[in-house]
């Protein structure tokens, strides 16, 4: 193409688009230009001078991270002059840097350490005493060790540009410059740890990881965050069966490097002393620990007895269990127990959206669309609180592509600060408020609309009809709460639709009807806590519960099985945009079993054959039976995500808008799991508030 630029780097011919920086042009041909302050996706800083390169016909070394390529440019990154400059830069950076690598958290994955090994001098000419400043704790999550800081300002930029929080700034000038938190001596922020993750050295360290282990002593397990529905990939750092941290430094997965506090630090529920580790049976009014074989035999016998006398069953499933578990559970309910009385806590009306779109798969937005689309409308959601990754994508889109952002929300949200127009709505006025944006939105080339639980039932149909009337391509995201809320719906945890929203002949009881029914003989609750706010009307019902903790529902159980969390099992989950990704277990908790195994063992005990209960086998069945889930396995196996549209036409579900209700979790809460995450609860911001003014 004629508008490409041709240049030479270290003798290699390079072709690059105009505006490409020399550091990136070099990367294209496999040449590393070392850098500290440069960070892909953030504004240019040119603070460290580590990236100096020689450009022929220029009198002095040039800054590779800010220099755009030019036609005919001849660049040398490996010349004696460049090596000398790098040695000098490193020598200066180490002038006051404590050489405490053996005890520094970053040791083994420190960019300064790596650069010094590769390009450093081996010894310093500075003999002066190094300045010492005591380490500061800014929050339960963030610690700052000033002498280690090389003033690259990555932390300041990621917090400002990436997070939209602006919690970090620079104090003083010159060699006494420091990084400072936004509230005097402490942080009031998202506690996301992005600043820690992005720090090239050990100046910022985390309250969960510091001084606990070294990177090479951990097993690194790539899986999916088990909290909100955004489906971020997190790489668990596991040592001695304990999850010490989550991160995504390799930028694999849909979220690149992004993680919020929950994906990075909220895994301590796994090793909570309050985890259930033994099955229990109620005897004389009290739950008593028993062996797995005793509990399974008792549950199987109860299910068989009630089945034999045509009793009434009801099943409540989970927004956190895997697709395989949800699929198997509904199969168990429908084929073994013979009931369609099955539901889950519905946090968004995905079924009605799929119905309104009637199989138009291209109208379902992906998480990548939020980064690419020219215009985005957020309706009735405090996205930065409830969907941190989606909010991050939109901020990045605004920064990198000047995306036009619009909000219609019942209170202030962070997205307002980047919005072209914001409307504060009152309950019931959302669609009218959206209509008030018609003139502007109709002029956009394309649009993604994200909507929360205020838009449900017929309001979704009206919204989609309204989107059609704009005459531009419109995509939608129906916001749901938890890591597999979407999968629970797709896999058929519904009284009127089986997997892939296939209509059932006789609809069963819905969530509220199950709780209100008085004639149920057995209520089986898997990974949910419906009795937190209500009681079971069927007072004599036999209750079987599978859970991690002694919740309000678990304490009502007659038989209680200790279940494994998402970090302890394999399988797949489907995120808010319908992207399917693979779970990979990283730890094991003694006594707990994956829900899928519990279903399998129960069916075996009952003498029924529901097929193998390994996650891979059930996934095979799902791929075969559930529309849109025939996902290429290599995508999943390699940690990728594949979007699914589980229907290709109308969805035969009865809309029960009153059942759709978000739990309104914030950045610092996560349903039941959040109650057992010490790190979440220890932050100053916990439990946080929706629709609050953005922090300064
Ligand atoms: S933890 Fe997150 S929000 Fe807080 S200062 Fe660091 S980057 Fe900013
Ligand atoms: S704390 Fe880390 S990321 Fe921030 S300026 Fe210092 S070295 Fe850079
Ligand atoms: S945005 Fe959601 S999925 Fe991503 S790390 Fe946070 S809680 Fe987990
Ligand atoms: S990386 Fe270029 S000046 Fe820091």
């Amino acid at each position: 193409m004629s508008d490409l630029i041709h240049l030479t780097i270290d003798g290699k011919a390079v072709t690059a688009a105009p505006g490409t920086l020399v550091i990136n042009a070099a990367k294209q041909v496999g040449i590393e230009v070392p850098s500290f302050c440069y960070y892909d996706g953030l504004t240019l800083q040119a603070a460290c001078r580590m990236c100096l390169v020689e450009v022929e016909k220029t009198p002095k070394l040039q800054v590779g991270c800010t220099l755009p390529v030019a036609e005919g440019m001849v660049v040398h990154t490996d010349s004696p002059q460049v090596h000398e400059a790098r040695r000098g830069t490193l020598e200066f950076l180490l002038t006051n840097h404590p050489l405490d690598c053996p005890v520094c958290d970053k040791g083994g994955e420190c960019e300064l350490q790596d650069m010094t090994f590769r390009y450093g001098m081996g010894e310093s000419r500075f003999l002066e005493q190094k300045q010492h400043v005591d380490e500061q704790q800014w929050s339960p999550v963030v610690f700052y060790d000033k002498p280690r800081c090389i003033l690259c300002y990555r932390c300041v930029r990621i917090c400002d540009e990436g997070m939209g929080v602006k919690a970090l700034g620079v104090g003083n000038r010159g060699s006494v410059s420091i990084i400072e938190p936004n509230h005097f001596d402490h942080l009031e922020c998202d506690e996301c740890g992005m600043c820690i993750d992005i720090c090239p050295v050990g100046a910022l360290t985390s309250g969960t990881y510091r001084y606990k282990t070294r990177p090479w002593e951990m097993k690194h397990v790539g899986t999916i965050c088990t909290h909100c529905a955004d489906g971020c990939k997190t790489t668990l750092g596991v040592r001695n069966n304990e999850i010490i941290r989550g991160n995504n430094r390799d930028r694999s997965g849909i979220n690149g490097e992004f993680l919020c506090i929950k994906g990075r630090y909220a895994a301590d529920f796994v090793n909570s002393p309050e985890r259930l580790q033994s099955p229990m049976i109620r005897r004389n009014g009290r739950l008593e620990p028993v062996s797995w074989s005793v509990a399974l035999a008792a549950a199987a016998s109860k299910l068989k007895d009630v089945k034999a006398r045509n009793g009434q069953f009801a099943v409540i499933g989970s927004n956190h269990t895997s697709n395989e578990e949800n699929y198997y559970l509904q199969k168990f309910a429908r084929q073994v127990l013979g009931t369609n009385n099955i539901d889950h806590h519905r946090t968004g009306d995905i079924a009605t959206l799929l119905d309104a779109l009637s199989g138009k798969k291209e109208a379902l937005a992906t998480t990548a669309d939020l980064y690419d689309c020219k215009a985005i409308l957020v309706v009735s959601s405090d996205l930065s609180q409830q969907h941190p990754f989606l909010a991050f994508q939109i901020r990045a889109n605004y920064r990198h592509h000047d995306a036009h952002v619009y909000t219609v929300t019942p209170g202030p949200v962070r997205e307002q600060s980047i919005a072209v127009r914001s409307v504060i709505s009152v309950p019931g006025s959302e669609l009218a408020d959206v209509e008030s944006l018609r003139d502007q939105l109709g002029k956009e080339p394309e649009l993604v609309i994200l909507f929360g639980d205020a838009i449900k039932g017929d309001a979704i149909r009206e919204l989609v009809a309204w989107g059609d009337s704009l005459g531009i391509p419109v995509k939608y995201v129906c916001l749901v709460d938890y890591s597999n809320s979407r999968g629970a719906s797709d896999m058929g945890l519904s009284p009127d639709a089986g997997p892939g929203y296939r209509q059932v002949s006789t609809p069963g009881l819905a969530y509220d009807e199950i709780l209100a029914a008085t004639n149920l003989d057995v209520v089986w609750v898997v990974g949910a806590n419906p009795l937190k706010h209500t009681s079971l009307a069927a007072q004599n019902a036999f209750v079987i519960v599978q859970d991690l903790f002694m919740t309000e529902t678990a304490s009502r159980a007659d038989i209680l099985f200790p279940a494994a969390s998402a970090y302890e099992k394999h399988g797949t989950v489907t995120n808010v945009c319908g992207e399917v990704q693979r779970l990979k277990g990283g730890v094991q908790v003694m006594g707990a079993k994956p829900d899928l195994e519990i279903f399998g063992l129960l069916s075996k005990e009952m003498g029924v054959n529901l097929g193998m209960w390994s996650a891979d086998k059930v996934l095979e069945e799902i791929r075969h039976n559930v529309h849109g889930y025939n996902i290429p396995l290599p995508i999943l196996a390699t940690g990728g995500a594949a979007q699914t549209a589980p229907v290709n036409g109308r969805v035969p579900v009865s809309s029960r808008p009153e059942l759709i209700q978000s739990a309104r979790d914030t950045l610092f809460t996560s349903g039941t799991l959040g109650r057992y995450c010490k790190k979440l609860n220890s932050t100053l911001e916990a439990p946080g508030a929706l629709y609050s003014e953005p922090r300064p």
Side-chain angles (χ1 to χ4, degrees), residues 225 227-232 258-264 387-389:
C225 170
H227 294 283
C228 91
D230 293 359
C232 297
F258 176 81
L259 284 174
C260 78
I261 181 172
K262 290 189 249 186
R264 207 181 291 282
H387 294 276
F389 169 49

Side-chain angles (χ1 to χ4, degrees), residues 191-202:
E191 307 287 2
C192 62
M194 289 290 287
C195 51
I196 302 170
D197 210 28
I198 206 171
C199 179
V201 294

